[in-house]
Structures are given as C-alpha cells and as structure tokens.
C-alpha cells in the first residue's frame, strides 16, 4: 500500500515537471549562445568606453608668449584652420611663403584642407619629399574639421583661429557685397545671380550703390550665406567638435584672429627664419578701395538717404546675427561661449585645449 502511494506521488511530480518544461521558452543560452555572448561583450565594451570618457575632462589654459614658443618649437608641423573672415587668407599666404622660404617646392592651393579625399592631398604628399612644415586652410564644414581633429598626430600642432561672430558677420557681408561690386570692373570670382547690373542701382567697379531691398533679399540671402556670411564658427564648433577633442586629445590650441602676427613670428623662428619680423597680412577690409553705399528704404528724422555699407552694418550689428539665424543649427553654443570668454580674457590670445584626468 505504501509503495503504491509512493509510486503514484512520483508519477504526479514527474507529470507536473514535464508540463512546466513544455511551457518554458527554449533556453537562450543554447539557441543563441554566440549572439548572446557577442551582445554581452558589446555591452561591456560600451560601458567601459563610457566609463573611460567619464574619467577625463577638458581643460582650457591661457598660453603666454614663451609657452606658445615652446609649444611650437616642440612640434614637427603646424596646421592652422579658420572660418571665413578670421585671418584665414593671411595665414594661407604666410604658410605658402614660409614653406618656400624653407626650401620646399610646394604648390599651395586655397582651402586645400577643406577636403578629406586623399587624392586632393596629392600636393602635400608628392610635391615635396619632406612634408610641408606649415599648412593653412579655411575650414567650412564640420565633417572636414572633425576629420582633422581625429587624425592629426601628436607631433602636429592644430590651430583653430576664432573670431567673435557678430563682428565676423559684418566683415563677411562687407566682403561679399564689395567683391560683387569689384567684379563689375573685371574682378575675378564665382558667378553670382543676379548679375551686378541687376543688383546695384549704380556700379562702375569702384563705387556701387545698392538698394536696401536688394541688399537684404540677395546680399543677405542664400547665396550670401553660402559664401562668406554663413561660414563662421557656428558651422564648426558643435557638440561633435568638443566630443572629438575630448575623445582624440589632439595637440590643439584656440587663437584670437587678432594674434595672426604673433603666430607668424613664432612659427617663423622655427621653420622659416628669413621671414621673422616680416608679418604678412592679406585680404584686409581696410585695403579695399571699392566704396559701396546703401540706399535706405525709409529715411526719417533727417537721416540721409544714402549711407556707406560699413555705416549700415554698424547700425544693424545687434540684429544681423539673429535675423539671419546663423546660430539656428549650432549645438553646444554654451561651450563655445565659455571658450570665447577664456580666449578673450587671455593676455596673449591663445588657449590650449587639453584633456586631463578628472
């Protein structure tokens, strides 16, 4: 009797366990052990990466002239980059002359670093056996700027030349409209639409009158933004930029555009001594003889109907930047303004971007 009860109980337990196993899903460890393992490894790697990034932070340090000299002396190459109207052309001209003075036969091409196609770098890799010690280029796209930040070796000093956006925009508008006027007198440049005779009320290549309506509609319109006006720091200094600096730790400094002469002097001391004491300045607004005037749409309270473009820009400076929406697609603007405050507060106008342990 007892034996029968024990057998019956064992049968019930076995049946119950069988039902439970049937209802359970197939154990993942057997069916997808490889994928589960890979997923686990990926998750661990991701967590380690985040943990490592949490262990470092950015530090911005003002450089003295002597510390900047030491920094340049310790490098094998200097690359300068700049948005539109931030001493970019000045540094491009200097780089070309410095390389020639150092004995290199190097064909310089404007904006040569604003691309990341190796075929476009043929001049850098093949025109001279020795790599050019000084390179300079305008930088117009975030993608190409990130490419440099991620790939320059530690022996190369990367210089980002900065200009406060409100003043840069004024200079850019003046550059675009004035050069458009000069093209009416055979000044070379890209084709612009509408032609000069439709844009200016009067133009002879040295003096141009433009209506306020045309200036706003065309001069500040899409083609103007695609040229100099829209190609400022808001295109280059994004969250991705600061993340890349933090992750790749390039040998990088920020520079106030007004300090181009000092940078040239210190670079010359190492790479092209014959140019020391001979600062180079190119494409300065003060050098342009063309006079552009704006015919006001509304003249009230005795204001003149015709004002110079520079006067017009100065009167509109507080509104231009936000009306044009130049910061509309920018990210991490707060970080940029922190860097600006640091940069403009430095006596010499140079800030080293360093990655240190937090």
């Amino acid at each position: 009797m007892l034996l029968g009860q024990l057998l019956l109980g064992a049968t019930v337990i076995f049946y119950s366990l069988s039902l439970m196993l049937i209802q359970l899903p197939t154990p993942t460890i057997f069916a997808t052990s490889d994928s589960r393992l890979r997923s686990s490894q990926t998750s661990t790697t991701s967590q380690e990466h985040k943990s490592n990034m949490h262990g470092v932070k950015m530090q911005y340090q003002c450089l003295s002239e002597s510390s900047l000299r030491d920094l340049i002396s310790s490098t094998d190459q200097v690359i300068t980059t700049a948005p539109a109207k931030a001493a970019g052309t000045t540094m491009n001209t200097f780089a070309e002359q410095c390389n020639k003075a150092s004995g290199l036969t190097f064909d310089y091409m404007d904006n040569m670093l604003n691309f990341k196609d190796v075929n476009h770098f043929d001049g850098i890799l093949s025109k001279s056996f020795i790599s050019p010690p000084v390179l300079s280029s305008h930088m117009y796209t975030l993608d190409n700027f990130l490419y440099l930040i991620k790939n320059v070796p530690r022996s190369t000093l990367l210089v980002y030349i900065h200009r406060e956006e409100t003043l840069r925009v004024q200079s850019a508008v003046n550059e675009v409209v004035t050069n458009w006027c000069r093209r009416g007198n055979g000044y070379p440049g890209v084709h612009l639409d509408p032609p000069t005779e439709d844009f200016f009320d009067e133009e002879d290549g040295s003096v141009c009158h433009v209506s306020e309506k045309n200036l706003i509609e065309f001069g500040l319109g899409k083609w103007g933004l695609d040229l100099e006006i829209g190609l400022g720091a808001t295109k280059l200094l994004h969250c991705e930029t600061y993340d890349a600096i933090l992750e790749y730790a390039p040998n990088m400094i920020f520079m106030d555009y007004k300090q181009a002469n000092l940078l040239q002097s210190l670079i010359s001391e190492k790479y092209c001594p014959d140019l020391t004491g001979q600062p180079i300045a190119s494409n300065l607004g003060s050098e342009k003889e063309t006079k552009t005037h704006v015919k006001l749409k509304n003249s009230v309270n005795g204001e003149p109907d015709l004002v110079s473009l520079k006067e017009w820009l100065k009167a509109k400076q507080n509104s231009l930047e936000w009306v044009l929406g130049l910061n509309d697609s920018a990210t991490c603007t707060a970080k940029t303004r922190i860097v600006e405050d640091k940069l403009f507060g430095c006596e010499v106008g140079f800030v080293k971007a360093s990655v240190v342990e937090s």
Side-chain angles (χ1 to χ4, degrees), residues 80 88-97 99-100 105-113 123 127 134-138:
T80 70
T89 301
T90 289
M91 292 307 303
N92 291 352
T93 304
F94 166 76
E96 181 180 20
Q97 295 188 18
N99 288 321
K100 288 181 178 179
T105 55
F106 177 70
D107 294 332
Y108 176 81
M109 183 172 60
D110 192 24
N111 300 335
M112 64 190 315
L113 301 179
K127 295 297 182 182
V134 185
L135 292 172
S136 177
S137 176
H138 288 96

Side-chain angles (χ1 to χ4, degrees), residues 172-184:
V173 174
N174 184 67
E175 171 84 3
V176 168
V177 178
T178 298
N179 281 350
W180 201 0
C181 177
R182 295 169 71 197
R183 288 187 181 103

Side-chain angles (χ1 to χ4, degrees), residues 172-211 215 219 223 227 288-294 309:
V173 174
N174 184 67
E175 171 84 3
V176 168
V177 178
T178 298
N179 281 350
W180 201 0
C181 177
R182 295 169 71 197
R183 288 187 181 103
N185 195 27
Y187 182 77
V190 297
H191 171 72
L192 298 176
D193 189 30
T196 54
E197 59 267 23
D198 292 341
F199 181 72
F200 296 105
D201 293 340
E202 301 176 31
E203 56 93 10
D204 63 8
S206 59
V207 177
C208 293
H209 294 173
V210 58
S211 70
L215 174 60
W223 68 261
L227 294 175
K288 296 180 173 66
E289 297 180 356
T290 304
K291 296 180 180 179
T292 306
H293 296 87
V294 181
L309 177 59

Side-chain angles (χ1 to χ4, degrees), residues 105-156:
T105 55
F106 177 70
D107 294 332
Y108 176 81
M109 183 172 60
D110 192 24
N111 300 335
M112 64 190 315
L113 301 179
N114 196 39
F115 303 89
K116 58 179 182 179
D117 181 358
V118 69
N119 295 321
H120 194 78
F121 294 155
D122 178 67
I124 299 175
L125 298 175
S126 66
K127 295 297 182 182
S128 174
F129 178 67
I130 301 175
S131 294
V134 185
L135 292 172
S136 177
S137 176
H138 288 96
M139 193 60 58
Y140 296 145
T141 68
L142 174 62
D143 191 38
N144 292 324
F145 191 36
L146 293 177
Y147 176 83
L148 271 181
I149 292 173
K150 294 177 180 180
N151 289 285
V152 289
R154 300 179 73 176
S155 58
T156 293

